[in-house]
Amino acid sequence: MSNRAQFVTKMGVIAATVGSAVGLGNIWRFPYEAGQHGGGAFLIVYLLCVFLLGIPVMIAEFVIGRSTHSNALTALQKLKPGSSLSKVSYIGIVASLMILSFYSVVAGWIMEYLYQAVTGGLSGHTSEEYATLFSTFTVNPWRSVMWTLIFLLANFMVLRRGIEKGIERISNIMMPVLFVMLLVFCVNSLFMPQAKKGLDFLFNPDFSQITPKVMLGALGQAFFSLSLGLTCLLTYASYFSDKTPLVRSATVVALLDTLVAILSGIIIFPAVFSFDMEPAAGPKLVFQILPEIFQQLPGGYLWSVAFFLLLFFASITSTISMSEISITYFVEAHKMSRSRATGLNTVIAMTFGTLCALSFGVLSDFKVFGMTLFELFDYVSSNIMLPIGGVMLSVFVGWIVDKKVVEEQLTDYGARKITLMRPIRFCIRYVAPLCISLIFLYGLGVP
Ligand code: PHE
């Protein structure tokens, strides 16, 4: 591994992995999914998915990545030559390109809102006007496509100039600031007139609402939010040093990511009920509510500018990590130069991203299985491809990789005693593959 870079400090490992995990998935997708799937019922299944399935799959990805210090395809082949499970890397490549495409549309919305915030367009409106602001903007074919392309161009520049490290350094400062801002917004939301109703919605589960569909939604959200199942964290782990505490890092990343999602819920739902909005409003939920929240805060102008700027950074650290999957593949398997590979990744995402952006306007009637292209890309990648990837990765580590290699990784080459060794292995071998498969099949209505 001589000429491969390594994360030197413990902070570096956690920060880059958290940078990948924390993003629009927590702040935009979590509240809208929870809102559509019954609030508390969703949260409870979500938490179970994160801790019983997500952490074991994350540890599995870390084991494969660090034991081989290679990209996904090579890593799986190194550990078990000829294994058909190494096809999981193709799922990762396709899923990462699909996610990049629709994610960039939402990141483009963030840029539009940042622009609106800076130019004063986000203040002094009524609720109806904020709703119209979002719908006229997303329906407008040029504007949302323009921002999608601008965002992907920014992503391209960062990757092309190899300044990911710089971005990561900036975001290491930005992330804690974002976190503190979320705390402030939380306190603000707790004082809203309908705060109790909002918190009840999120934390008081109505168990009768736990349906197979809700379970699949929560599973998909857990994997999406933790960047799991598409070998993204496997690739990051290939840069970990031998001293990185694997099990603890996975736990810390999952805890932080989940905390950010819950904070986002505590900010959004009290506001949803106080402003008399619909929790099941879908993707537009946070975009309609945030401007209202900023409007109420003293110094709302500054809060809104700072918040959308930080969210932009949180998004780009996530898109960098998902782009890396296909770029590494193009470079290593097709012998492309890095700049060509980055270009190809961007062109693919721009093409599909444009179609996803248009699916809120001119293409809104174009539906496949009753979903617009944006919805289809989101659903297929999060709820189908990531869980399948998760099953394959946990089966690979649980059943195929030599037990000694796994134990060596879990103990960080013997440096640490892991008290939960057996339960962790049990989850990787049995719980994760079985439960993910069951939720997946039930959710799709197979039996
Ligand atoms: N986890 C990221 C988020 O929550 C999204 C992501 C998914 C990033 C898959 C990389 C891979 O925003």
Side-chain angles (χ1 to χ4, degrees):
M1 69 170 292
S2 49
N3 48 13
R4 284 182 118 238
Q6 274 194 30
F7 292 116
V8 185
T9 59
K10 236 189 263 171
M11 251 323 270
V13 174
I14 306 260
T17 319
V18 170
S20 167
V22 174
L24 297 173
N26 311 63
I27 290 163
W28 159 74
R29 202 175 184 279
F30 173 79
Y32 108 63
E33 284 282 323
Q36 279 185 334
H37 291 119
F42 179 88
L43 180 63
I44 242 186
V45 185
Y46 174 74
L47 291 175
L48 287 172
C49 288
V50 167
F51 291 100
L52 288 178
L53 315 175
I55 294 183
V57 172
M58 195 185 297
I59 293 176
E61 290 208 22
F62 283 0
V63 166
I64 303 174
R66 187 175 62 180
S67 63
T68 55
H69 294 298
S70 321
N71 76 73
L73 199 60
T74 318
L76 289 141
Q77 277 163 1
K78 261 191 195 168
L79 287 168
K80 181 74 188 177
S83 165
S84 55
L85 286 172
S86 64
K87 298 217 168 37
V88 70
S89 356
Y90 296 109
I91 296 187
I93 295 159
V94 177
S96 68
L97 287 167
M98 288 174 82
I99 296 178
L100 182 61
S101 305
F102 80 83
Y103 201 92
S104 303
V105 175
V106 186
W109 298 348
I110 299 287
M111 293 180 91
E112 162 79 11
Y113 272 63
L114 175 60
Y115 168 81
Q116 292 288 346
V118 171
T119 55
L122 279 194
S123 43
H125 294 294
T126 61
S127 303
E128 287 77 46
E129 284 169 341
Y130 285 124
T132 329
L133 178 79
F134 182 83
S135 53
T136 39
F137 157 61
T138 45
V139 167
N140 180 332
W142 301 120
R143 221 173 153 87
S144 67
V145 170
M146 175 189 86
W147 284 119
T148 306
L149 299 182
I150 293 179
F151 178 81
L152 281 166
L153 207 59
N155 187 57
F156 172 78
M157 308 269 262
V158 171
L159 289 160
R160 171 70 205 276
R161 300 169 134 218
I163 50 172
E164 297 97 309
K165 286 273 165 303
I167 293 294
E168 262 153 28
R169 221 167 295 137
I170 301 176
S171 86
N172 289 353
I173 306 166
M174 297 269 197
M175 289 291 194
V177 180
L178 179 64
F179 190 75
V180 174
M181 280 182 83
L182 291 175
L183 288 178
V184 174
F185 297 160
C186 266
V187 175
N188 176 59
S189 282
L190 293 178
F191 284 103
M192 289 187 179
Q194 297 296 327
K196 190 172 171 316
K197 223 168 151 190
L199 296 179
D200 265 354
F201 177 78
L202 184 61
F203 292 113
N204 223 343
D206 167 2
F207 290 96
S208 68
Q209 293 220 27
I210 303 185
T211 59
K213 195 169 148 257
V214 168
M215 288 168 69
L216 181 59
L219 177 72
Q221 173 61 23
F223 273 63
F224 184 89
S225 191
L226 297 171
S227 312
L228 283 183
L230 73 180
T231 71
C232 181
L233 297 188
L234 185 162
T235 311
Y236 270 32
S238 72
Y239 298 103
F240 286 4
S241 87
D242 294 352
K243 297 201 186 70
T244 305
L246 273 203
V247 174
R248 192 163 5 119
S249 303
T251 316
V252 171
V253 171
L255 282 174
L256 283 175
D257 186 76
T258 307
L259 187 61
V260 174
I262 292 179
L263 288 182
S264 174
I266 299 179
I267 295 169
I268 299 296
F269 291 111
V272 166
F273 290 97
S274 302
F275 298 123
D276 214 13
M277 289 184 188
E278 198 34 67
K284 63 182 179 201
L285 184 71
V286 297
F287 286 90
Q288 291 191 350
I289 288 180
L290 285 171
E292 300 246 13
I293 298 180
F294 297 137
Q295 165 121 312
Q296 279 207 330
L297 284 165
Y301 176 84
L302 284 181
W303 287 113
S304 60
V305 172
F307 183 74
F308 286 114
L309 185 68
L310 294 173
L311 214 48
F312 167 77
F313 275 96
S315 317
I316 206 159
T317 49
S318 298
T319 53
I320 290 172
S321 74
M322 56 185 100
S323 305
E324 212 55 74
I325 302 174
S326 56
I327 294 175
T328 320
Y329 170 73
F330 296 145
V331 169
E332 299 193 1
H334 292 281
K335 305 278 170 278
M336 246 182 234
S337 69
R338 185 165 164 98
S339 57
R340 282 196 134 206
T342 312
L344 182 59
N345 167 76
T346 306
V347 169
I348 297 174
M350 283 186 164
T351 310
F352 290 106
T354 300
L355 295 174
C356 288
L358 290 177
S359 74
F360 288 86
V362 287
L363 290 183
S364 60
D365 289 331
F366 179 77
K367 294 203 169 152
V368 185
F369 303 118
M371 290 179 261
T372 64
L373 277 179
F374 179 97
E375 289 162 349
L376 185 77
F377 271 46
D378 184 352
Y379 188 87
V380 171
S381 55
S382 314
N383 291 6
I384 299 183
M385 299 179 85
L386 302 189
I388 294 181
V391 171
M392 292 172 78
L393 290 162
S394 50
V395 168
F396 189 78
V397 172
W399 297 90
I400 313 257
V401 177
D402 190 347
K403 190 175 165 196
K404 272 209 224 86
V405 174
V406 179
E407 288 188 351
E408 186 177 72
Q409 289 304 320
L410 294 182
T411 56
D412 307 314
Y413 298 94
R416 252 167 287 267
K417 264 208 146 40
I418 301 290
T419 34
L420 293 177
M421 177 78 92
R422 298 188 91 212
I424 293 174
R425 287 207 70 217
F426 184 78
C427 282
I428 297 180
R429 272 166 82 87
Y430 300 98
V431 182
L434 280 176
C435 293
I436 299 171
S437 306
L438 283 178
I439 298 179
F440 179 70
L441 295 175
Y442 268 129
L444 292 182
V446 171

